[in-house]
């Protein structure tokens, strides 16, 4: 047999195209590690979708049979199966607290007394937004894993024990769940749940969707604002008073509609406590959610309802939403097909701080303090039509009340200034940072978005073709833009053009399962989340047109649409959040709410589906909080291949132990046997004059030689050289506080110019 050294010289191949044939003398340790393999990289990632549920049993479950197919640069393929994991039902008690319980201002459960002599706490069946996050310095969970936090919305209470609607009357809530993340498998386990305290901001009004900010806080929402004009005329026309009376447990209390319908920000502190702020300066409208751009200043919104508006907020400071400028868009149509397309012109509504807007609320400002009204067309009055009124109104702003109008009545004021108030069911929002795109879901493209053939509306900017099953839009972002008055907009993320990207297909007649829209396309998109690494847009449905609602994966490069999750019939897919590489794992957070509600299942299936749902989800009283696992990170994709090509032990020879280091750095060696075919990286880098730094959080060593950078991760059989992933002949390991790396690859790096 030829010596290992001779074999190494003959078989050594280039790393990233750098042909470096090294003399034996350049390798200070035994070179028996075998040949340096050509780097293997990921060529493509594809979601392989699942079939739609076919049986009554499947239609009553939440499940996935989808997978991820990875194709590598050497043309090999590997499939990663997905799985759905339930964290908890809303009716479950986690650490002594019922997850979905409604609480009053004192944090006590609000009791349902609708059935005599049987008081029960109100418990929501409607979990929505999730933010899974990690707070550095958080206490250990006691289970040995990484401590994480999960903020979850409970949007509303569907009904009381007697079966009457409780929507909007019983205060909504959020929970903070301490999660244990298994360090080896990534499995998430709920440990303790507590309710987030909103008593300092007058309670929480119908929290729908939400997002995680770039600075690691949860950005919540309050949708479907009460009509302040209707409230002033007759408070019984709104839920405001019943809501505050329930929240404060005081039947004499009078509410204020202007206290609600803003973005809410929840901060999780190191001691697992939470703090809350309402950002009044982001405007008052039907906040589906707010999504912050990479600049940490620009915010995009969903505005749910009919006759709604597209807003933009630019904060004064990075990572601080307490003051800024609010804008509203005018749709300048280019086409009508497939959701249509349009240029966007931005109209500045005003600038304010949270405290300035809050001062108007504290003073008890009313609708009539802001606007003058007329019952018909008149000089100085402008006709508008907006949510929540839905009627033509003739208004003008009282002198000096422009700021109050802009931030307490954002949509009415925007319409008076000429912004478009014809959007319908504007839902989820997410951002593609690399391509500078924003995606917005319009659940039902109809009504005010269609051409006004009767000529009765005050404006008709949007005139697109009806698609009741909805459209997900793509908005192009750019800097250097000016508003309608030619004033510069201080953001590099201003939407300038909007077009349909993914749309559904309405059916003339329901199919065999009861679907009113094509089952192989998205129907009524709602939640959106985007993965930068996978180039994939995740779309969750809130459909009255699909018998079962789905979560889809849409590849923005190939246009492939894959069904990756099915929820129970009548349930809405909610809480969608793609979590990217959290301690080495990907997650697709995904909940569902109100299973079995308003089912459109075909008559021959309905009884069996309903029976199964009742059995699975506490007689339709429980929603579920959970996640899809199995979506691999790039490192996991590469590790899966590396394990299959690991050299046999017989190809390796013993090496001399590295001399102990006297350095105080991380890689200070202790006497011991050096792993075969590897060298101690700190000593080797020092000897070669190569800069070395240690990232304890990521367990990474970073080497810099001139213009070249090599990133080495402990327990990985890949490394990143000048931004490109390369495959290593041996896994990098840590032994007795020293990091050991492939000798051959290090020597090639050391030779780079």
């Amino acid at each position: 047999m030829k010596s290992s050294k001779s074999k190494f010289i003959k078989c050594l191949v280039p790393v990233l195209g750098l042909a470096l044939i090294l003399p034996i003398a350049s390798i200070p340790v035994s070179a028996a590690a075998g040949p340096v393999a050509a780097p293997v990289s990921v060529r493509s990632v594809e979601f392989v979708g699942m079939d739609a549920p076919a049986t009554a049993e499947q239609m009553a479950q939440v499940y996935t049979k989808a997978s991820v197919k990875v194709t590598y640069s050497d043309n090999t393929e590997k499939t990663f199966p997905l799985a759905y994991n339930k964290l908890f039902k809303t009716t479950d008690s986690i650490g002594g607290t019922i997850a979905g319980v409604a609480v009053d201002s004192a944090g006590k459960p609000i009791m349902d007394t609708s059935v005599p002599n049987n008081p029960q706490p109100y418990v929501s069946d409607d979990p929505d937004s999730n933010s899974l996050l990690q707070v550095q310095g958080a206490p250990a969970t006691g289970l040995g894993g990484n401590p994480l936090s999960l903020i979850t919305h409970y949007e509303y209470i569907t009904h009381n024990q007697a079966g009457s609607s409780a929507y909007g009357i019983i205060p909504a809530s959020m929970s903070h769940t301490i999660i244990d993340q298994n360090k080896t498998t990534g499995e998430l386990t709920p440990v303790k749940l507590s309710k987030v305290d909103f008593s300092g901001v007058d309670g929480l009004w119908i929290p729908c969707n939400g997002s995680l900010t770039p600075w690691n806080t949860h950005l919540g929402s309050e949708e479907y604002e009460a009509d302040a004009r209707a409230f002033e005329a007759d408070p019984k026309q709104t839920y405001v008073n019943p809501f505050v009376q329930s929240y404060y447990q005081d039947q004499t209390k009078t509410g204020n509609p202007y206290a609600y319908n803003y973005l809410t920000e929840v901060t999780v502190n190191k001691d697992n406590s939470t703090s809350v702020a309402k950002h009044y300066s982001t405007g008052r409208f039907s906040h589906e959610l707010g999504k912050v751009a990479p600049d940490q200043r620009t915010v995009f919104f969903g505005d749910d309802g009919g006759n709604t508006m597209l807003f933009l907020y630019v904060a004064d400071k990075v990572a601080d939403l307490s003051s800024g400028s609010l804008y509203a868009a005018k749709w300048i149509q280019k086409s009508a097909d497939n959701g249509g397309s349009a240029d966007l012109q931005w109209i500045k509504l005003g600038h304010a701080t949270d405290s300035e807007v809050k001062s108007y609320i504290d003073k008890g400002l009313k609708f009539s303090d802001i606007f003058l009204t007329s019952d018909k067309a008149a000089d100085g009055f402008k006709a508008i039509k907006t949510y929540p009124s839905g009627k033509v109104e003739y208004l003008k702003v009282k002198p000096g009340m422009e700021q109050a109008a802009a931030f307490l009545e954002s949509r009415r004021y925007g319409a008076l200034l000429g912004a478009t108030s014809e959007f319908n069911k504007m839902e989820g929002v997410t951002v593609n940072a690399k391509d500078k795109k924003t995606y917005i879901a319009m659940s039902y493209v109809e009504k005010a978005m269609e051409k006004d053939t009767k000529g009765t509306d005050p404006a008709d900017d949007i005139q697109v073709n009806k698609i009741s099953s909805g459209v997900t839009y793509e908005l192009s972002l750019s800097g250097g833009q000016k508003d309608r008055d030619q004033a510069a907009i201080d953001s590099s993320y201003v939407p300038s053009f909007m077009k349909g990207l993914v749309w559904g297909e309405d059916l003339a007649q329901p199919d065999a399962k009861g679907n009113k829209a094509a089952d192989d396309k998205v129907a009524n998109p709602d939640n959106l989340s985007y993965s930068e690494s996978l180039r994939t847009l995740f779309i969750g449905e809130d459909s009255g047109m699909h018998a079962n609602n789905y979560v889809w994966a849409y590849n923005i490069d190939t246009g492939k649409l894959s069904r990756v999750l099915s929820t129970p019939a009548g349930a809405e897919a909610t809480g969608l959040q793609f979590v990217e590489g959290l301690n080495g794992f990907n997650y697709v957070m995904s909940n569902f709410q109100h299973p079995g509600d308003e089912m459109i299942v075909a008559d021959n299936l309905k009884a069996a589906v309903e029976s199964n749902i009742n059995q699975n989800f506490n007689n339709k009283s429980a929603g579920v909080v959970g996640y899809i696992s199995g979506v691999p990170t790039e490192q996991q994709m590469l590790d899966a291949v590396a394990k299959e090509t690991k050299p046999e032990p017989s190809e390796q020879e013993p090496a001399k132990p590295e001399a102990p280091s006297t350095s105080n750095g991380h890689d200070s060696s202790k006497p011991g046997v050096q792993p075969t075919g590897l060298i101690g990286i700190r000593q080797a880098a020092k000897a070669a004059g190569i800069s070395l730094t240690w990232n304890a959080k990521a367990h990474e060593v970073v080497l810099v030689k001139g213009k070249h950078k090599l990133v080495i991760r402990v327990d990985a059989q890949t490394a990143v050289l000048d931004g490109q992933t390369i495959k290593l002949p041996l896994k990098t390991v840590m032994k007795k506080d020293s990091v050991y790396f492939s000798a051959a690859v290090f020597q090639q790096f050391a030779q780079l110019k």
Side-chain angles (χ1 to χ4, degrees):
M1 176 181 285
K2 295 182 180 180
S3 72
S4 295
K5 291 182 180 180
S6 174
K7 180 180 178 182
F8 175 80
I9 292 176
K10 289 187 175 183
C11 297
L12 184 62
V13 294
V15 175
L16 292 180
L18 302 172
L20 301 173
I21 304 301
L22 305 177
I24 295 175
S26 71
I27 305 177
V29 296
S30 173
V36 177
V40 174
S41 59
V42 174
R43 193 172 74 195
S44 66
V45 180
E46 174 187 358
F47 281 86
V48 180
M50 55 184 267
D51 292 335
T55 66
E57 290 76 14
Q58 288 179 331
M59 294 175 73
Q61 297 174 0
V62 55
Y63 71 98
T64 180
K65 293 185 178 181
S67 61
V68 175
K69 185 176 76 173
V70 179
T71 303
Y72 298 90
S73 56
D74 61 359
N75 294 320
T76 59
E77 295 179 350
K78 189 168 183 63
T79 298
F80 297 80
L82 306 184
Y84 185 76
N85 307 268
K86 177 178 73 71
L87 287 171
F88 51 83
K89 295 179 181 178
T90 57
T91 51
D92 288 346
S93 178
I94 311 296
T97 301
I98 300 173
V101 67
V103 294
D104 62 21
S105 60
K108 297 180 180 179
I110 299 174
M111 304 304 291
D112 175 4
T113 58
S114 61
V115 174
N117 303 316
N118 188 36
Q120 296 289 328
Y122 277 105
V123 178
S124 174
D125 61 337
D126 299 286
D128 205 296
S129 173
N130 290 313
S131 279
L132 182 67
L133 57 99
Q134 184 170 28
V135 177
Q136 295 303 317
T141 65
L143 298 182
N146 299 309
L148 306 180
S149 288
L150 178 68
I151 300 294
T152 303
H153 291 188
Y154 302 88
E155 189 174 357
Y156 55 89
I157 310 292
T158 300
H159 51 73
N160 61 21
Q161 292 186 84
S164 299
S165 174
Y167 183 90
I169 298 172
I170 305 304
S173 67
M174 292 188 197
S175 67
H176 170 221
T177 308
I178 298 170
I179 300 286
D180 180 88
Q181 181 194 38
N182 187 288
K183 294 180 179 180
T184 302
T185 66
E187 181 182 2
L188 304 179
T189 302
V191 177
K192 182 180 180 181
L193 182 147
S194 56
K195 306 302 284 192
V196 178
D197 181 9
F198 279 83
S199 61
V201 291
D202 302 308
L204 177 65
W205 180 280
I206 311 180
C208 195
N209 207 339
S211 66
L212 186 67
T213 68
W215 53 93
N216 208 39
T217 61
H218 172 75
L219 200 58
S221 60
E222 295 181 305
E223 73 171 354
Y224 298 145
E225 81 271 26
D227 187 344
R229 182 178 187 177
F231 176 84
E232 187 175 351
D234 179 7
K236 293 181 181 179
Q237 294 185 45
T238 73
Y239 297 134
V240 175
N241 281 346
F243 172 91
V244 298
Q245 289 165 6
S246 178
Y247 184 63
Y248 290 102
Q249 294 292 286
D250 181 354
Q251 297 304 305
T252 67
K253 198 166 183 65
T254 299
N256 181 348
Y258 289 140
Y260 305 101
N261 302 103
Y262 305 95
L263 290 188
T264 59
E265 185 174 10
V266 179
T267 300
V268 181
N269 304 307
K270 288 183 180 180
D271 62 357
N272 283 328
S273 64
T274 55
S275 54
V276 174
K278 277 192 183 180
H279 290 305
Y280 303 98
S281 65
T282 60
R284 179 177 176 268
F285 45 92
S286 182
H287 281 283
E288 172 76 14
L289 84 161
K291 179 67 177 179
V292 182
D295 66 353
Q296 301 192 39
R297 293 178 56 238
T298 307
V299 185
F300 313 106
F301 303 95
D303 184 15
D304 198 356
N307 285 99
T308 59
M309 193 167 282
L310 182 63
F311 292 98
L312 179 74
Y313 180 80
V314 181
D316 295 337
K317 299 177 182 178
V318 168
D320 182 354
L321 304 182
S322 66
S323 66
S325 298
L326 184 63
Y327 297 83
K330 185 174 182 64
W331 168 283
I332 304 172
Q333 185 157 310
K334 299 297 181 183
S335 68
D337 295 332
N338 302 325
S341 64
D343 290 329
L344 298 174
Q345 180 186 69
W346 292 95
I347 300 169
K348 185 174 181 178
L349 305 188
H351 176 277
T353 66
D354 285 350
S355 59
E356 287 173 340
V357 181
K358 184 65 162 57
S359 70
Y360 294 125
I361 300 168
D362 293 341
K363 291 174 184 175
L365 209 67
K366 302 184 297 296
F367 175 87
S368 62
D369 296 323
I370 302 172
F371 296 105
L372 293 170
T373 65
S374 174
D375 293 334
K376 58 184 179 181
D379 289 343
F381 290 85
K382 183 173 181 177
I384 65 168
K385 185 178 180 181
T386 68
Y387 182 87
S389 166
K391 302 174 183 178
V392 176
E393 300 178 288
Y394 300 92
L395 304 177
K396 67 177 178 180
V397 180
K398 289 186 174 181
M401 299 306 295
E402 289 80 8
Q403 187 185 60
F407 293 92
L408 299 182
E409 291 282 358
S410 304
R411 203 181 301 104
R412 278 177 166 129
Y413 186 61
L416 288 175
L417 295 184
T420 300
S421 58
E422 299 162 32
F423 294 97
N424 189 68
K425 296 296 293 177
M426 187 191 299
E427 307 274 1
V429 182
T430 193
V431 176
N432 169 350
K434 181 180 179 181
D435 298 339
K436 295 193 76 170
K437 305 287 187 184
T438 288
Y439 306 108
I440 295 182
M442 213 73 62
S443 194
Y444 290 80
V445 175
E446 57 185 17
K447 298 179 181 178
M449 295 186 72
E450 298 177 72
K451 181 177 176 61
D452 175 22
T453 57
K454 297 180 180 179
T456 57
D457 287 343
D460 195 23
D461 296 339
I462 305 178
Q463 302 180 18
V464 302
N465 296 329
K466 179 179 181 179
I467 306 178
S468 292
S469 47
V471 176
T472 299
Y473 288 85
E474 176 188 271
L475 284 68
S476 301
L477 309 175
S478 61
Q481 291 197 57
K482 296 182 178 180
D483 65 20
R484 186 183 60 182
D485 297 330
Q486 296 304 298
I489 302 176
D490 185 20
S491 170
S492 296
Y493 292 88
V494 179
S496 58
F497 182 73
M498 181 172 180
K499 67 175 183 179
L501 179 68
V502 183
W503 49 87
E505 179 184 341
D506 303 346
L507 298 179
Q509 297 293 331
D511 67 12
K513 289 194 300 182
N515 291 304
K516 299 176 183 178
D519 211 19
D520 60 350
K521 296 183 180 180
V522 179
N524 311 117
D526 191 319
N527 283 201
L528 300 178
S529 191
Y530 182 72
S531 167
E532 294 282 347
S533 64
L534 301 177
R535 304 279 293 169
T536 296
L537 175 65
F538 294 93
I539 306 172
E541 296 181 338
D542 177 12
S543 180
M545 302 182 72
H546 273 170
N548 290 83
N549 280 319
Y550 308 123
V551 174
W552 301 85
Y554 176 80
N555 186 293
I556 63 166
D557 296 319
T558 66
K560 181 180 179 182
L561 183 68
S562 306
R563 183 189 293 105
V564 297
L565 184 74
S566 179
T567 66
E572 174 187 344
T574 60
L576 189 60
Q577 179 202 14
F578 185 78
V579 182
E580 195 105 39
L582 182 56
N583 296 318
F585 296 95
N586 288 338
Y587 304 94
V588 183
M589 304 305 298
S590 187
N591 307 337
F592 67 82
Q593 58 180 222
H594 55 70
D597 186 39
E598 299 180 0
M599 291 193 299
I600 62 167
V601 177
D603 289 342
N604 64 316
L605 292 167
K606 188 172 184 179
V609 171
E610 190 164 28
S611 175
N612 280 285
I613 286 176
N614 284 335
Q615 182 177 352
N616 295 339
F617 306 110
N618 302 34
N619 292 317
K620 304 179 186 176
S621 67
V624 166
V625 175
Y627 64 99
I628 300 171
S629 63
V631 180
T633 63
E634 183 179 14
Q635 188 64 56
Q636 289 171 328
M637 297 175 197
L638 294 169
D639 286 348
V641 174
K643 289 177 182 178
E644 297 174 355
T645 58
K646 184 176 181 179
E648 293 297 324
S650 60
E651 294 181 325
Q652 303 175 359
E653 293 181 355
K656 295 180 180 180
E658 183 190 17
S661 168
T662 58
S663 166
N664 291 325
H666 172 79
D667 194 39
S668 297
S669 300
K670 299 178 181 179
V673 178
Q674 177 174 307
T676 306
L678 306 175
I679 57 173
I681 197 65
R682 180 175 292 279
Q683 291 288 73
K686 182 178 180 180
I690 296 173
S691 170
L692 178 149
T693 57
W694 165 250
N695 184 334
K697 178 181 176 182
H699 268 221
E700 290 179 345
V701 175
V702 180
L703 302 179
V704 177
K705 183 178 187 293
K707 64 181 181 180
H708 299 290
K709 182 168 76 171
L710 180 65
V711 181
I712 302 165
R713 186 175 182 183
V714 174
D715 292 331
Q717 202 165 341
T718 57
V720 178
L721 175 60
D722 295 337
Q724 292 186 273
T725 300
I726 61 172
K727 183 179 175 182
L728 304 174
L730 294 169
K731 181 187 289 187
T732 302
V733 299
M734 179 181 288
K735 183 177 177 64
K736 294 187 177 180
D737 295 327
S738 294
V739 175
Y740 294 93
F741 180 67
S742 166
V745 176
F746 174 79
Q747 289 301 321
Q748 293 190 59
F749 178 73
Q751 294 290 322
L752 294 177
K753 302 297 184 181

